[in-house]
Amino acid sequence: MTTTRSSAQHGFPRGRRIAAALLVSTLAGTALAACGADAKGSQPAEGSGKSVGETTGDTKIAWGKCPALPGGQTRDPHLACGTLKVPLDYQNPGGTKIDVAVSRLSTAQPGKRHGVLLLNPGGPALGGLDMPETMASALPKSVLDRYDLIGFDPRGVEHSTPQSCGLQDPSVSGRFPYPAADGSITKNVALAEADARKCADTVGKNLRYYNTANTARDMDRIRQALGEKKISYWGQSYGTYLGAVYRSFFQDHTDRMVLEGNVDPTKVWANQVAETWGRGTADRFPDAARVAAAQAGTLKLGTNIAQVTRTYLALADRLDRMPAAIPGTSVSLDGALLRNMTYALLLHNDTLPVLVKFWKAADDLAHGSATAADTAVLKEVFADTPTSPGIPADNQATMFMALTCGDAEWPHDIDGYAARTTADREKWPLTAGMPANIWACAYWDKPAEAAAKVVKGGPRNTLILQNRRDNATPWESGVGLHKSLGDGSAFVGVDNGGHYVYGEGSACADKATVGFLITGHLPDKNVYCTDVTRK
């Protein structure tokens, strides 16, 4: 799940839209064994800087108005948008073409301009057209003077030839396979198979070309269309993996790269789901439990971390067995929805106060004692988010599956999933076995090509930003990415919780980031920042 630094809705803090948070930021961790894909196709030579079917750079983007926003929202009028035609299949560059939507905020100043900063908010499957505007509000003038900010909707996402499987439940969180109250995965197996069959029947074989490797190739087409020899890049969450793949494919065209909240590229994706997700939640949960314990007199969830944790686990189990309808809404709160919302609200420090109020309201609801104040909290948390005109309701869920299932092959052993789920429920009770459970990928078509290989070394041009207690992409994931890139990267770790690093209270991390973007110089050695101040 991921959120972006976009405008807040429903009274939540700026940049923390809750419905958007129920999209997956990245698949964090697993004990699943990797399955090597004997897939057809190949990727460009590593470090060659040459995309398959590369153009000569004469393809330009016709800049104009951006697509309409949902619900009467408005944009910075200086944000311009356009589309670029790219091959569906880069092994067949003369074949079917698809659109990639691109945006530009021209912030660089004459005489100071260094180049462009391409942005990706993660997901998988989040659109990025509005990311230049939101990042412009977060970055200092010293950075904005040097870069034009470029956003894009990745292939298949939102305005870039959006894909749809026609899923009855259009939510990404609906794909998260929480076992039944007794640990059974029978219903999860049926849903996984049904989702995979629905996508195969509705979209067909073409969906396998909507993968990370091809998205990285699209990024290089964007570079060419902009007329840039090199591009700098800022990727968050899943966007860190996308950036690492681009860097490996196109080292000669990679300038300065900032990767924030990181995916370990050696664990994509089956190996990036189960164990680390459970570990990340276990590491992060005490931050919220501490907030709840400090308000024990009013919340009555417990007076210390251990008591709050026991209350939460008992609540989740009760809702697994007896879901509770939220008055005045069509939402029924069950254990899966409780855990999904908890995951989303753990992503940011400034949503922890909302989270503990949600726990209190959910506990009262489950016990039949919900007050008007409880109901108001629940309605606010579950308020509908406006949808973008012309975008299929299940677009993000479809593309979430396309990317996670299409980047690398998953295990197909159903009994193996059941055994791992049982073990995971015991080891990581907060996530109840969900990360190790079966996903639609177990029934997915074989990927179009082998998993992209991230190359170690190369130019020393990548800054890795990682929080110590990140429930989406835990500390170990950032360390894994740094190890994969080797001397080509520098690591800045922060003693903080949540999924985002820059602008989250560490002057040490912010200084390293801004300094790198301005000068191109990375810290000489790894940095660990302990100066976090709460907002």
Side-chain angles (χ1 to χ4, degrees), residues 47-124:
S48 68
K50 185 77 170 177
S51 98
V52 176
E54 181 171 341
T55 69
T56 59
D58 56 357
T59 301
K60 303 296 182 182
I61 298 172
W63 299 106
K65 292 182 64 175
C66 294
L69 285 170
Q73 299 175 34
T74 60
R75 288 189 172 93
D76 184 332
H78 297 100
L79 186 71
C81 293
T83 58
L84 182 67
K85 294 287 186 183
V86 300
L88 171 67
D89 175 10
Y90 276 88
Q91 299 299 324
N92 181 24
T96 301
K97 299 294 193 297
I98 59 174
D99 289 331
V100 171
V102 185
S103 62
R104 179 182 67 187
L105 194 61
S106 298
T107 51
Q109 298 300 308
K112 295 183 179 180
R113 187 181 190 275
H114 176 76
V116 299
L117 183 61
L118 186 65
L119 306 164
N120 181 270

Side-chain angles (χ1 to χ4, degrees), residues 73 173 333:
Q73 299 175 34
S173 58
L333 181 59

Side-chain angles (χ1 to χ4, degrees), residues 38 56 116 140 147 264 297 303 365 415 448 453:
D38 181 20
T56 59
V116 299
Y147 297 91
D264 184 340
T303 60
L365 182 72
D415 290 340
K453 182 180 179 181

Side-chain angles (χ1 to χ4, degrees), residues 8-58:
Q9 292 188 357
H10 311 312
F12 291 107
R14 178 174 177 80
R16 316 306 185 211
R17 185 165 50 174
I18 302 308
L22 283 178
L23 303 172
V24 173
S25 68
T26 106
L27 305 176
T30 184
L32 299 183
C35 277
D38 181 20
K40 294 186 291 183
S42 61
Q43 61 195 47
E46 294 153 5
S48 68
K50 185 77 170 177
S51 98
V52 176
E54 181 171 341
T55 69
T56 59
D58 56 357

Side-chain angles (χ1 to χ4, degrees), residues 162-182:
Q163 299 299 294
S164 169
C165 291
L167 300 170
Q168 184 174 1
D169 175 2
S171 68
V172 173
S173 58
R175 271 56 259 164
F176 293 179
Y178 283 98
D182 62 358

Side-chain angles (χ1 to χ4, degrees), residues 29 66 143 175-176 211 236 382 391:
C66 294
V143 173
R175 271 56 259 164
F176 293 179
N211 59 21
Q236 300 169 339
F382 293 111
I391 306 302

Side-chain angles (χ1 to χ4, degrees), residues 245-317:
V245 171
Y246 179 85
R247 182 185 184 279
S248 297
F249 283 7
F250 305 106
Q251 286 194 6
D252 291 345
H253 298 311
T254 302
D255 194 0
R256 301 166 188 176
M257 184 168 282
V258 177
L259 305 179
E260 178 186 22
N262 301 278
V263 171
D264 184 340
T266 68
K267 298 178 181 288
V268 173
W269 284 107
N271 289 29
Q272 189 70 29
V273 179
E275 185 175 332
T276 306
W277 198 326
R279 181 187 299 277
T281 302
D283 288 346
R284 174 60 166 159
F285 190 90
D287 289 345
R290 192 174 293 109
V291 173
Q295 303 174 58
T298 55
L299 298 181
K300 303 186 185 307
L301 297 172
T303 60
N304 55 49
I305 292 173
Q307 287 183 4
V308 172
T309 302
R310 286 195 294 272
T311 299
Y312 175 84
L313 291 173
L315 172 61
D317 181 70

